[in-house]
Amino acid sequence: MKFLPLIWAGMWRKRSRAVLMLLQIATAFVLFGVLQGLDTGVSEVIAESHADRLYVSSSVAVGDPLPMGLLARIRSVPGVEYVTERADFGGTYQSPQQPVSITTADAALLFKVYDEVKVAPAAVRALAADRTGAIVGDVSMRKFGWKVGERIVVASGLPKSDGSHDWVFDIVGVYDFPDHPENSAAIIANFAYLNESRLTGRDHADMFVVKVDHPADADAVGLAIDNAFANSSNETHTQSEAELQAAQLQQLGDLDFIVHAIIGAVFFALLFATGALMMQAVRERVPELAVLKTVGFTDRGILALILAESVAFCIVAAAIGLGVSVFLLPLARQLFSGIRHMPDIVFVEGGACALALALIGASIPAWRGSRLEVVDALAGR
Amino acid sequence: MSFLAQTFALTATALRSIGERRGAALVTVIGVTSVAGVLVSLLAMSNGARSLGGASAAPDEVVILGNAASSSMQSVLTRDEALAVKGAPGIRRAPDGTPYYTATTMVSVDAIRSNGKRGSVALVGFTPGVRLFDPPRLIEGRLYRPGVHELVVSDPIRKMYRGLELGHHITLRGTEWAVVGVFASSGTVNDSILAADADTVMSAFGRNAYQQVLVKLASPAAYPAFKKWVLTNPALAVQVKTEKDDLNETFAGFNQLFEYVAYFIGGVMACGAVFGALNSLYASVDARRRDLATLRAIGFGGAPIIASVLIEGMLLALPGALLGAAIAWMLFDGHVVSTQGLVLKLDVTPQLLVVSILWALVIGLLGASLPALRAARLQVAVALRAT
């Protein structure tokens, strides 16, 4: 620890160069933080999903319609506590630039399956009693300035049997996902209303959502459901919430590879930069290093000194870069939903990358510095 | 000596001594290479996304979608509506009187990528009239027959997914579908689909509505009358758009996202490269302090010194631009990536090389700006005395 001032002084030996290098490394870590933050942020969302929820969808693809007849059969599978049909559709409110999404289900059961949602029991009862009722997420309530009791009209591509495309909803309450406010945007309405009003696709749901008695049995229950419909024309594919989200992520396809390729290119360039910088720094300090050796520093001591300097430098730069990326990440969130904050693991990964960068970049200069012959170095040979 | 001659002489000496500053110079070259490589690759992807848009669509092709549908994915068109469109004026007809008309239906189908991950492709059913349109060029096998569970697959999809080779069967809703043909990649949205007969798809999947109707008009001039007829027909609650507009609207956001991402990442990386170039050129100027001071003393002006440093910066950045673009071209040109069920063909065009060179020149200029000022402000006496 007593060498800390020495290391510090070494870092700032040439101020303008050190500042520029610091900025260069920091910039790389800004990018690392944002890209890796997006990448890991999405998987973290998956990790905290609910293990007691299963999604029964068509084996063709998620969202491919399944007949309502499956509902009774799923309900009778042992271990199923609640199950509700679910069908989602989209529309716009007032202008084509204001999209809204509508989730329809058996309202009372839906809120039992999604039991983490904050909603007044009276509102759920009111929704069950009012065919055209809707419980709206507080994000949309605030965004559009809606009030409970208000009647809203949503234009949708989904035609009604009377030929109109205007879907009317009476707002009877508000819900909120306390942990995930970004999920509180959809309008929740009665499946029965959708089903009897729509022109096409009657008596079919997009999926069935199941809550199991015991999370530990979720896999077995899922398998039992799929087995019940095996080899029928309505084969199902039951997934946990985590699997469903992972599958949606896989739809992003090669973007994962692209993120890693970019980070790879950035660090490859950076490795050369740190290496060259340390090489230059060591070359300029040959006489100083020789003096240190003369006063008793060992080869290994010099090696450690140069490496420590490089590590300290890269860690400081990485910390600055990651700090900036924490503020930039929320901007990227507009593009990819689901990420709220920088996952902690990114800081750990960033630290590890900085360490690797510093050690690899400084290895050759440090080795050279440690192998100096004192007499030659002092003589300037 | 003239300004030009002085600048030339200074630049030449600077470049001759580059060997002594190999490390710093290489840092600039590699830094710019990585910026150019990433920028060109991402823009190549954005090019791929752009070709999904309407640029290549024929001006006389028109799409009919259900009302209030923001894209064909959400559109619902009943059989009656789809049929009624056939009676509209201005539709081009084949010599035997068949109209250039096809109604389509789309089913999203999960398939397994060759890397083992799950992806989704669109199975699109076309009514027989599709044969009148520019048909996709079959490179293997034959076209599907109506009434039989047969489909044809695009070449990129076949390569990207497992089990979609010619002769393979896939099971959907308890029915086996045979892959009977492969059609060539066209760089358009058709690269992302499996194609089959519309009525066969609809009966297999229990659908009773189409998603859109595509017609070809006798001429682009027939569009206003056609549109007016469709929109004023009481039996139709639909939207009418040119194919060009429809594709543009559907993929505009997608394309913008890619460009936004490309320029954001390229911009951040370029900042890093500018810092690297600054370092490299400061080193270059510092190493030549005495030479520069000597030249000032014998009458060289400040302006040629500034110019020569700026030129040195741009010359250092230039190989990086070429190298980065070349690497991106070698690795990714013609490569296909898939995201959200869409196949994108990376397209490294000459324009991207120009973009890459422009970025490199700007990086070089910015990186050389401060060192150039330092060189020009050199105090001759101080610099000459320095060791």
Side-chain angles (χ1 to χ4, degrees), chain A residues 1-47:
Chain A
M1 275 300 111
K2 66 178 171 183
F3 295 120
L4 214 57
L6 188 62
I7 293 171
W8 189 251
M11 277 166 63
W12 297 100
R13 196 170 175 282
K14 258 203 162 167
R15 183 152 316 178
S16 66
R17 189 173 68 203
V19 169
L20 287 171
M21 193 61 214
L22 203 68
L23 286 173
Q24 192 180 359
I25 302 177
T27 318
F29 275 91
V30 169
L31 207 55
F32 175 88
V34 172
L35 292 179
Q36 200 67 11
L38 282 175
D39 217 32
T40 352
V42 183
S43 18
E44 202 175 62
V45 172
I46 292 175

Side-chain angles (χ1 to χ4, degrees), chain B residues 165-199:
Chain B
E165 288 290 332
L166 188 68
H168 281 223
H169 289 78
I170 52 172
T171 308
L172 299 169
R173 285 193 173 265
T175 320
E176 288 223 321
W177 290 73
V179 181
V180 297
V182 180
F183 59 90
S185 159
S186 55
T188 67
V189 69
N190 279 340
D191 281 2
S192 313
I193 67 167
L194 310 173
D197 175 66
D199 289 327

